[in-house]
Every structure is written in structure tokens, then in C-alpha cells.
Amino acid sequence: MASLRATNLSSTRMSAVRTLLLLPLGLLVLQASLCHGACVEVDSDTEAVANEGFKLGCISCKMRGEVPATASVDWYFRAQDESEYTHIYSYEDEVGEITDERFTERLDWNGSKRTRDLQDGSIYILNVTYNDTGTYRCFFNRILTFSNYEYHTNASKTIFMNVVPRLTRGMASILSEVMMYVSIIGLQFWLVVEMIYCYRKISAAGEEALRESAAEYLAIASESKDNCAGVQVAE
């Protein structure tokens, strides 16, 4: 009986320790799930290499992410020797259309997939030529659907793309990459230290729980022995 009680106490303590250890992991998983659909507006690259592919980035995030919406995207291009913009591409209802013969079979949609609620309106240019150098503009036409009305909003991005024979990297780009790797190494080192610390903490907690369980078991066993002795004396 005493052994069973000690075993139950030990199991309860170890279950509590496991629960406390799994709670931070559960919170991290919940946070990751909440951040899954996050939208971040980043600038597009501007230097393309001749005879290669290039992505023209255009991201427009909704201010109210919980509101249903639909959007269409239109792209315009103005070459260096031109004064007016020409409509080159449109995307609406999950269908893209090239409207300028200069980009026939060379433009492809690279934005939001399988949705009419567009937030990424990027396109991809295949087989870039020097004639593609110039200014590009993308326009978002968005309709936010509320319970009693619809709200129309527009957004635009302007990108100047330069075509070069081969990709050149500036000092800022090199320093950014170095800092990125330094940050990754630093974070990995911190993670290892935290894992060692947590492991020691868990080991100490487990040993303490076992010591307490053993002490309780001895106390219960001693009490049971005394009770048995008292019963024998009474008899």
C-alpha cells in the first residue's frame, strides 16, 4: 500500500514537470499558426541579368486582414526611350493576360495563388533583354467586402529595372549577407546554451522529485511499520 502511494506521488510530480516543459512549446506552435498568414511589403529587386529570368516584386497588404476582399493587378511599362506607359499585363479572377506583344510568352504570374484576395502581385520575366530596361508600375484594385457595403481602394508600386551583362554586388549587399550569417551562428549558439540549461534544469527537477518520493516512501513505510508494531503489542 505504501509502495503504491509513493509510486502515485512520483507519477503525479513527473506529469506536472512534463506539463510545465510542454507549455512553452504549445505557446510557440500557437504563435506560429497565428502568424502563418502574415503579409509583409518588401521592395523588389531592380537589377536583372540579360538572358535570364527576373522577378518583379509587387506586394500590397490589406490593412484589415480579417475582411474578405477581391483584387485585380495591372502592370505597365515605360522603356527608357518612351514617355508614356504601356499596359503589359493584367491578372484577375485567377487568370493572367499579356497585353503587350513585346512580352508575349515571356511574362508569367508569380504572385498570390489559388485566391482572388490578391496581396502579392509579382510577375516573372523570362529571357530578359536589354530592351526590358525601364520603369514598371503595378496597380492593385481592391474591393473590401463588409457586411453592409463594399469599399474600393487602390495601391501602386513603381520599380526601375536595369539590365546588366552579369550581376554585380555592392558593399552593402555583402555586409548584409555577412551579418545574416553572423546572426544565424549567434542564434544557434544561444539555442545550444538554452538547451543545455533546460536539460540541467529538467535533470535537477527530476532528481529532486525522485528524492522527495523516496523520502515520502520511507516515511510511509516507517509509519506502517510503527502501526504494525502497535497492533502486535496490543494483541
Side-chain angles (χ1 to χ4, degrees):
M1 182 68 178
S3 176
L4 180 60
R5 290 176 61 186
T7 302
N8 290 336
L9 287 172
S10 178
S11 300
T12 302
R13 292 179 182 275
M14 294 305 294
S15 297
V17 171
R18 285 195 295 268
T19 301
L20 291 175
L21 292 174
L22 292 175
L23 181 59
L25 180 61
L27 292 175
L28 288 174
V29 172
L30 177 61
Q31 184 179 7
S33 63
L34 291 175
C35 296
H36 178 71
C39 175
V40 179
E41 296 188 12
V42 295
D43 294 333
S44 173
D45 292 333
T46 58
E47 195 170 75
V49 179
N51 302 319
E52 295 185 8
F54 184 75
K55 177 182 176 179
L56 280 169
C58 180
I59 300 176
S60 175
C61 300
K62 293 190 302 183
M63 300 303 293
R64 298 283 300 273
E66 74 280 4
V67 178
T70 59
S72 62
V73 178
D74 291 282
W75 279 89
Y76 295 82
F77 170 62
R78 185 184 67 189
Q80 286 185 311
D81 57 350
E82 296 177 346
S83 58
E84 300 292 335
Y85 283 93
T86 303
H87 188 215
I88 62 172
Y89 188 82
S90 64
Y91 189 88
E92 186 175 7
D93 294 332
E94 301 183 45
V95 177
E97 181 183 3
I98 301 173
T99 57
D100 191 317
E101 61 181 10
R102 291 174 294 181
F103 294 92
T104 300
E105 297 184 354
R106 290 201 306 122
L107 275 185
D108 194 14
W109 178 251
N110 200 242
S112 302
K113 307 289 187 182
R114 295 183 296 275
T115 179
R116 297 177 61 196
D117 187 1
L118 307 176
Q119 296 189 81
D120 185 354
S122 304
I123 57 175
Y124 194 82
I125 305 177
L126 301 171
N127 192 24
V128 173
T129 68
Y130 289 103
N131 292 330
D132 297 332
T133 299
T135 305
Y136 294 81
R137 298 188 69 182
C138 76
F139 286 87
F140 274 85
N141 298 302
R142 179 174 289 124
I143 302 175
L144 300 172
T145 305
F146 294 90
S147 56
N148 297 322
Y149 67 98
E150 293 182 344
Y151 180 76
H152 295 251
T153 180
N154 299 311
S156 65
K157 304 280 184 180
T158 302
I159 306 158
F160 178 79
M161 188 182 80
N162 184 38
V163 181
V164 296
R166 59 187 180 89
L167 190 63
T168 58
R169 298 183 61 191
M171 184 59 66
S173 175
I174 297 174
L175 290 176
S176 297
E177 185 173 354
V178 171
M179 290 302 298
M180 179 187 68
Y181 286 116
V182 170
S183 300
I184 292 174
I185 293 173
L187 288 173
Q188 289 179 342
F189 177 76
W190 174 81
L191 181 60
V192 170
V193 172
E194 285 293 317
M195 290 177 63
I196 294 174
Y197 173 77
C198 291
Y199 175 76
R200 290 181 176 177
K201 201 75 166 164
I202 295 169
S203 298
E207 292 175 359
E208 183 178 357
L210 290 175
R211 284 196 298 269
E212 292 179 359
S213 298
E216 291 178 359
Y217 171 74
L218 292 175
I220 295 171
S222 177
E223 181 182 356
S224 300
K225 184 177 181 181
D226 294 340
N227 293 335
C228 290
V231 170
Q232 291 177 356
V233 170
E235 291 177 351

